[in-house]
C-alpha cells in the first residue's frame, strides 16, 4: 500500500487526535491557517480553559520535533532544555501519532501523549546520545540548531495512550 501524502497525513493526525479527545468527553478542535501556533485546542466544558496541543504524525518509527530549531538559544548551552521545557509559548501537550498501512486497506495506529516537559526530556536524551556519538567520531559536538530533531518510538513508548493527562488537565470529561 502506498504512503499517505504529507499534506493529508498531517490533517489525518490532527483530526484523529480531536476524535480521540472527543470520544473521551473533551471538546477538541483543529486550528486552521498558515500562521497558526498550535495544531489542536482542547477546550474545557465551561470554556474557562484551553489547552494547546501539538500533533506530530508519522508513518515511520520516528517523529520530527524540531525543538532545537524552533528557538534562539544555543542547544549546547547549560540550561537550554530547562528553558525550552518552561517556554510559555510552548504547547501544553504533544500527541505523536503513528499510522502505518496494513492489509485490506486499513491502518495500524498508535498514540503517544506527552507534556511539553516530557517531550523536551525525551528530545534531550536523544540529542545527548547522538551528541556523544558525534563527538567521538568528529572531535566536536554537533550544531543541533541546523539539524532535524526527532525522537523514536523507543524514546516515547512509555507514554502510549496516556490520554488521561489531557482529560485531567482540562478538568475532566464533559458533563452529561
Amino acid at each position: 500500500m502506498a504512503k499517505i501524502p504529507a499534506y493529508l497525513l498531517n490533517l489525518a493526525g490532527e483530526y484523529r487526535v480531536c476524535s480521540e479527545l472527543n470520544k473521551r468527553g473533551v471538546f477538541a478542535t483543529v486550528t486552521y491557517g498558515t500562521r497558526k501556533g498550535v495544531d489542536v485546542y482542547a477546550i474545557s466544558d465551561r470554556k474557562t480553559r484551553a489547552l494547546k496541543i501539538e500533533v506530530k504524525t508519522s508513518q515511520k518509527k520516528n517523529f520530527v520535533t524540531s525543538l532545537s530549531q524552533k528557538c534562539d538559544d544555543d542547544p549546547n548551552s547549560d540550561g537550554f532544555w530547562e528553558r525550552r521545557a518552561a517556554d510559555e509559548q510552548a504547547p501544553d501537550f504533544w500527541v505523536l501519532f503513528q499510522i502505518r498501512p496494513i492489509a485490506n486497506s486499513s491502518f495500524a495506529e498508535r498514540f503517544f501523549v506527552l507534556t511539553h516537559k516530557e517531550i523536551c526530556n525525551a528530545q534531550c536524551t536523544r540529542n545527548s546520545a547522538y551528541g556523544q556519538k558525534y563527538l567521538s567520531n568528529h572531535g566536536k559536538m554537533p550544531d543541533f540548531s541546523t539539524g532535524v530533531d526527532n525522537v523514536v518510538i523507543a524514546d516515547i513508548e512509555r507514554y502510549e495512550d496516556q490520554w488521561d493527562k489531557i482529560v485531567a488537565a482540562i478538568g475532566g470529561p464533559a458533563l452529561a
Side-chain angles (χ1 to χ4, degrees):
M1 182 174 220
K3 297 271 184 185
I4 302 168
Y7 72 97
L8 290 175
L9 181 69
N10 294 332
L11 283 173
E14 291 168 9
Y15 280 105
R16 280 295 288 123
V17 167
C18 286
S19 173
E20 289 297 315
L21 288 168
N22 287 320
K23 287 188 326 188
R24 289 165 171 78
V26 173
F27 175 70
T29 185
V30 172
T31 60
Y32 297 98
T34 58
R35 297 180 132 185
K36 66 182 189 173
V38 66
D39 296 319
V40 170
Y41 280 107
I43 302 168
S44 69
D45 210 26
R46 296 185 182 167
K47 299 171 188 71
T48 56
R49 177 157 172 110
L51 298 175
K52 298 178 290 187
I53 302 170
E54 181 75 18
V55 178
K56 296 295 181 186
T57 306
S58 179
Q59 298 175 88
K60 301 176 183 175
K61 294 182 180 182
N62 70 306
F63 297 89
V64 175
T65 67
S66 301
L67 279 165
S68 296
Q69 296 75 42
K70 290 180 183 175
C71 56
D72 297 329
D73 288 343
D74 175 9
N76 296 320
S77 69
D78 289 341
F80 167 78
W81 290 105
E82 288 80 11
R83 287 192 301 277
R84 195 73 198 126
D87 184 355
E88 291 178 14
Q89 303 289 324
D92 299 298
F93 291 93
W94 290 62
V95 179
L96 309 182
F97 173 48
Q98 182 190 42
I99 182 170
R100 293 182 334 272
I102 56 176
N104 302 330
S105 299
S106 62
F107 298 89
E109 300 178 336
R110 294 176 80 183
F111 295 93
F112 305 91
V113 182
L114 297 86
T115 65
H116 184 66
K117 185 174 183 176
E118 290 167 340
I119 192 72
C120 284
N121 289 340
Q123 188 63 71
C124 181
T125 301
R126 167 73 31 207
N127 285 7
S128 293
Y130 175 79
Q132 291 306 308
K133 187 175 179 182
Y134 188 93
L135 177 63
S136 69
N137 290 335
H138 302 281
K140 64 178 183 174
M141 288 297 286
D143 179 4
F144 288 104
S145 67
T146 62
V148 180
D149 282 344
N150 68 84
V151 294
V152 298
I153 297 287
D155 299 333
I156 57 165
E157 204 155 27
R158 68 177 180 246
Y159 301 107
E160 190 164 6
D161 290 325
Q162 290 188 0
W163 296 103
D164 289 347
K165 290 191 274 192
I166 297 175
V167 173
I170 202 68
L175 302 174

